Every structure is written in structure tokens, then in C-alpha cells.
């Protein structure tokens, strides 16, 4: 149960980090020509969320082989895509849904092989 909570925390923090980074990078006044313009509160909070998520991932790596942990961590890709749709309003086309399904199938295959 503790491992599941750690995974949920890692994925949640990664999703939050990605949404914050995207919104920070798209904020008014931000220029891709000047790196310092990217240093707004959203970007800083996103980087901090990534750091906290990495901390939970280290805890997970203490309990699982890397190949299993990384396979399960792929759920963050699905979660970030769904968050981009739900929070940022980004569209998800049919082929992307197919890709999401393949990721979920891969995670499931790894899951049923873990003893």
C-alpha cells in the first residue's frame, strides 16, 4: 500500500509540474529568446514539483527493480496527456488515443509479469 501511495504522489507531482511548466512558459511576457523571462512563479513551482516527484521515485527505486519501476512510471505520460486535455484544453486526436492505449497495454503487460 505504501508503494502505491508513493507512485500516486510521484505521478501527481509530475503532472502538476508539467502543467505548471507549460502555463509558466506560455505566460504573458515570456520570451523564448531570453531564458530569464522563464523564471516566473509557475516555472519555479513546476521545477520544485519535479524535484519532489523525483524524491518519491527514489523511494520507489529502493523497493523495485529499475525496469519495473520505470515501466510503471510510464503512467505519468498518460496522466500528463489527460491533464493537458482537462486543464489546458489541448486536443487529443484519435491516433494519440491509440498511443495512450498502447502505453496502458504495455504497463498492464509489465504488471502481470511482476511477482
Amino acid at each position: 500500500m505504501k508503494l502505491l501511495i508513493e507512485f500516486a504522489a510521484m505521478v501527481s507531482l509530475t503532472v502538476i509540474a508539467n502543467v505548471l511548466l507549460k502555463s509558466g512558459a506560455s505566460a504573458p511576457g515570456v520570451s523564448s529568446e531570453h531564458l530569464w523571462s522563464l523564471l516566473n512563479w509557475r516555472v519555479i513551482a513546476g521545477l520544485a514539483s519535479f524535484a519532489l516527484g523525483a524524491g518519491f521515485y527514489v523511494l520507489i527505486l529502493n523497493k523495485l527493480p529499475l525496469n519495473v519501476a520505470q515501466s510503471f512510471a510510464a503512467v505519468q505520460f498518460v496522466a500528463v496527456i489527460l491533464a493537458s486535455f482537462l486543464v489546458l484544453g489541448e486536443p487529443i486526436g484519435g491516433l494519440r488515443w491509440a498511443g495512450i492505449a498502447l502505453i496502458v497495454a504495455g504497463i498492464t503487460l509489465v504488471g502481470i509479469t511482476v511477482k
Side-chain angles (χ1 to χ4, degrees):
M1 184 62 153
K2 184 176 179 184
L3 184 62
L4 185 59
I5 292 170
E6 290 168 351
F7 260 112
M10 184 212 44
V11 170
S12 297
L13 286 163
T14 300
V15 169
I16 290 167
N18 277 284
V19 170
L20 284 168
L21 288 175
K22 174 62 178 173
S23 64
S26 303
V30 172
S31 168
S32 60
E33 296 176 16
H34 304 291
L35 184 59
W36 68 84
S37 74
L38 292 173
L39 294 179
N40 58 58
W41 74 268
R42 290 180 192 119
V43 170
I44 293 168
L47 293 173
S49 293
F50 266 133
L52 286 172
F56 279 102
Y57 191 55
V58 171
L59 295 174
I60 293 164
L61 290 174
N62 191 358
K63 298 174 181 80
L64 292 176
L66 177 60
N67 62 20
V68 173
Q70 187 59 47
S71 297
F72 287 142
V75 76
Q76 67 187 323
F77 300 126
V78 175
V80 168
I81 293 167
L82 293 176
S84 73
F85 174 73
L86 296 171
V87 177
L88 302 175
E90 296 180 354
I92 303 174
L95 284 176
R96 289 185 188 160
W97 281 114
I100 291 167
L102 289 171
I103 293 169
V104 170
I107 294 167
T108 303
L109 285 174
V110 170
I112 62 175
T113 63
V114 175
K115 295 178 183 181

